[in-house]
Amino acid sequence: MEIRRATPLSYACPKCKRPLRSGDNALYCNECNRTYPIADGIPDFLSQTSLTPAALHIAKVMDFVAPIYESRLFVSVLVRLSGVRGGSRFMDTIASFHSETLKGITGSLLDVACGPATYSRRIASPSRNVYGIDISMGVLKQGMTYIARDGVLGVHLARARVEELPFENAVFDGAICSGSLHLFPDTVLSLHEIARTMKPGALLSVQTFVAGKTVINRLMQKRSWLHTFELAKLQQYLTEAGFEEFRPELDGIVLTFSALKAPLCT
């Protein structure tokens, strides 16, 4: 049986949301006269944006850890600090959760704060195109290296903020967000922007953290730009952003959940 390949999406201006025109190593917006350079195959939608001090700090940290982000030692340390089971196979467990949640979904998927395409590479298929965005150029370049090494097709990476996604309205059939929802300053705004790009009824699959008494929780409490979630409050955020059917699962302080973009939400 021949597999029908998904049609690639075009990027849109993160400011006006109009489709962009391709040129020599850049994307151009005819509507608001902005130019977005392409470096090493990665469109940079932050070239004209100043990151907040907190976001800049996160980007620098991710640039630094990019080469070891998927290493067994690095993952084991994170898992030990968060008090969850699974050891160095933690990423495989999260990948399995996303794969099961999005099972049967084809078309275009969004990966928010994708890092080095850790999960984009795992959920991509001939019938899916995955679009990953992150604010760290370091992890995106590392992701491009992994994509080339593994021969993965259908994964597209761009440097962009979750608050200003470079896509038109209602284009994604599903979305994932792993290990980063707690980093976004305005949870509702971030979720609302993700919802904007999703088709009505599309699935959202997320891994984040809830409140607890682990080392990670204590570290997060010392940073005003980091936060953990209470389930009731998170469900409220999702509802305000246009999602429904919140289905959470807990392992220690690690929370995985799915939700649906409300069919009537625009």
Side-chain angles (χ1 to χ4, degrees):
M1 181 178 177
E2 184 178 355
I3 297 176
R4 184 177 179 180
R5 289 194 172 274
T7 303
L9 295 177
S10 297
Y11 286 106
C13 176
K15 299 295 184 181
C16 69
K17 312 306 181 187
R18 300 297 296 273
L20 295 172
R21 173 173 56 87
S22 297
D24 294 334
N25 296 316
L27 297 171
Y28 303 92
C29 180
N30 293 332
E31 184 71 19
C32 57
N33 199 33
R34 286 182 167 89
T35 299
Y36 302 101
I38 300 175
D40 298 320
I42 303 170
D44 188 357
F45 295 103
L46 298 186
S47 60
Q48 300 182 26
T49 301
S50 296
L51 294 175
T52 65
L56 185 60
H57 175 73
I58 293 170
K60 288 181 177 180
V61 169
M62 294 307 296
D63 287 345
F64 178 76
V65 303
I68 63 169
Y69 182 76
E70 294 187 16
S71 69
R72 185 180 297 271
L73 176 61
F74 185 73
V75 175
S76 295
V77 170
L78 287 180
V79 168
R80 184 177 295 276
L81 292 176
S82 59
V84 300
R85 299 183 298 273
S88 60
R89 295 188 59 82
F90 175 70
M91 286 182 175
D92 292 333
T93 300
I94 299 303
S96 296
F97 169 77
H98 291 316
S99 296
E100 185 62 29
T101 300
L102 300 171
K103 185 177 181 180
I105 295 177
T106 59
S108 297
L109 303 179
L110 172 66
D111 185 356
V112 179
C114 64
T118 300
Y119 301 109
S120 294
R121 301 185 338 256
R122 288 168 163 85
I123 65 174
S125 74
S127 60
R128 289 175 172 172
N129 282 307
V130 184
Y131 293 82
I133 66 101
D134 204 288
I135 61 173
S136 164
M137 186 60 80
V139 294
L140 293 171
K141 288 182 178 180
Q142 190 68 46
M144 293 292 279
T145 299
Y146 292 151
I147 289 168
R149 179 198 66 188
D150 299 341
V152 178
L153 300 177
V155 177
H156 313 268
L157 304 181
R159 187 170 180 249
R161 301 167 62 235
V162 64
E163 296 88 352
E164 292 182 331
L165 293 173
F167 304 101
E168 296 180 83
N169 296 342
V171 292
F172 288 111
D173 301 280
I176 69 172
C177 179
S178 288
S180 54
L181 187 64
H182 49 279
L183 301 177
F184 305 151
D186 189 325
T187 305
V188 175
L189 174 62
S190 300
L191 288 171
H192 193 277
E193 178 66 354
I194 293 170
R196 178 190 66 77
T197 69
M198 296 172 67
K199 297 176 182 178
L203 268 168
L204 172 66
S205 182
V206 176
Q207 178 261 313
T208 184
F209 297 100
V210 295
K213 297 181 179 180
T214 66
V215 175
I216 279 187
N217 283 127
R218 290 196 293 272
L219 291 172
M220 295 174 82
Q221 289 168 3
K222 295 180 180 180
R223 300 290 185 271
S224 59
W225 41 269
L226 287 171
H227 47 270
T228 53
F229 297 104
E230 300 289 347
L231 289 183
K233 196 68 175 179
L234 181 56
Q235 184 168 17
Q236 177 187 330
Y237 292 158
L238 287 161
T239 301
E240 291 177 16
F243 290 97
E244 61 184 16
E245 297 190 28
F246 174 52
R247 296 179 179 176
E249 297 179 12
L250 281 172
D251 179 2
I253 67 165
V254 173
L255 168 67
T256 52
F257 71 85
S258 64
L260 283 177
K261 164 77 174 289
L264 298 180
C265 182
T266 56

